[in-house]
Amino acid sequence: MKLIFERSRPGLSCDLLPPCDVPKAGLFAPLRSAPPRLPELAEVDISRHYTALAGQAHGVNDGFYPLGSCTMKYNPRVNEEAAALPGFAGLHPLQPVETVQGALEVLCTAERLLCEITGMDAMSFQPAAGAHGEFTGLLLIKAYHTSRQDTVRRKILVPDAAHGTNPASATMAGYDVVSVPSDEKGCVDLDALRQAVGADTAGLMLTNPNTVGLFDENILEITRIIHEAGGLCYYDGANLNAVMGIVRPGDMGFDVVHLNLHKTFSTPHGCGGPGSGPVGCRQFLAPFLPGDQAVEQCGSYTLEQSTASIGRVKAFYGNFLVVVRALAYVLALGREGIPEAAQNAVLNANYLMSLLRERYDMAFTEGVMHEFVMTLERTKKETGVSAMDVAKAMLDYGIHPPTMYFPLIVHEALMVEPTETESRATLDEAARILLEILDKAEHDPEALHRAPERTPVGRPDEVGAARSPKLRYAFPVV
Ligand SMILES: *Cc1c(COP(=O)(O)O)cnc(C)c1O
């Protein structure tokens, strides 16, 4: 496909601006010696370019997208309409508070509802993504210990099944990471946890259900062990899909939580679009929350920053329009719809797993929640077909591959998260395709090594793309 610069033809443009009817004012000194080399295209060509570009990728609107841990689900369009309302979309962050009362009400209401869902007392919408929320939450934990002159706590415990951002955020926050092994059931090994805690434990980061999709039934014991040692408990709530409206991190004993509004609460994600990783906490941590908090006083809204705040972690109020979408989503689903969505997410995962488990080996089958992990280890030994080959073959059938080679504790892993927004017919079809791919693996493994054959790009050099990406267009020398 042609790049936009290759489509450019001199002299073409989209005349969107009316002719200038005031005298032109030049800059004091020219900043450039030549005009910028922007592509020149008619509006229709631009529209076709981006439509063609979208056709090269697979999105939730193209087909099934069971990307485990990432929660790629259908996002109701009505939430986009809410976010596009001119009263929200046209706001300036420096407007006087009396002119943005509705926006502050959105922040206060979203805080109240998401606190109710998580069992927390206060929430900040500043963090722009999950990892950013983790980092912010750890700074709250640090501020708490520091405020008590408790400065020997240098360690954050992280289960070995954790999402990679957990140890990364803990390191960024200046902590030493201690990895806690999983037991044979895929949950935290309690004996190992007891041995790892001590007077130097600042806290624990945990996600439940964990990244192999299992609900850790020892969760109350786990958070008790940490609290008894004087540490705090951080809940990675990036994937709240399985439990929202059913159990609350606060009731499991957690002190700090982040959510990924761009996974569970409606905002589409992927490709670096704006996200939101709000951080909720219990009351004793609320004074440390970052930035300004919207608060209600006698029916009107103001912004306040606590003197103990860790300071801003992002400009202004975070990605506000993502919060608008999340609020619209929560209000539309309501008290009945939120747990129903979670139940359907769990039902869909268990249904698809049950269609596959006779022929695909599952890493764990007990207590599976919203996602399950298959291991292709045996298939690879017997046929040479790897998890990568199966994932690539799925693309030829028009479905997005599951998450591959994650979590790290499972070999040849494929991690499947169907989400609640898929129908039974879609799940039946996905199972049929996966079983057909397994037949192919047994009869014609070579064909799977060549897959995908019907996509614009087959097997890109991923390391090369990450290490030496081409981010600039090489203009032809004239
Ligand atoms: C996605 C995810 C994160 C990170 O979220 P980002 O918004 O990508 O930074 C953290 N933890 C878990 C369990 C996740 O699934």
Side-chain angles (χ1 to χ4, degrees), residues 68-71 128-134 162-166 207 209 211 236-239 258 260 262-263 269 275-277 406:
S69 189
C70 296
T71 314
H132 196 193
E134 291 168 28
H163 195 268
T165 50
N166 290 188
T207 179
T211 55
D236 176 341
N239 304 294
H258 90 262
N260 274 24
H262 49 291
K263 284 181 185 167
H269 74 110
S276 177
F406 180 80

Side-chain angles (χ1 to χ4, degrees), residues 37-49:
R37 288 183 289 186
L38 299 175
E40 294 171 84
L41 290 96
E43 184 173 323
V44 62
D45 297 324
I46 296 178
S47 176
R48 284 181 186 150
H49 174 73

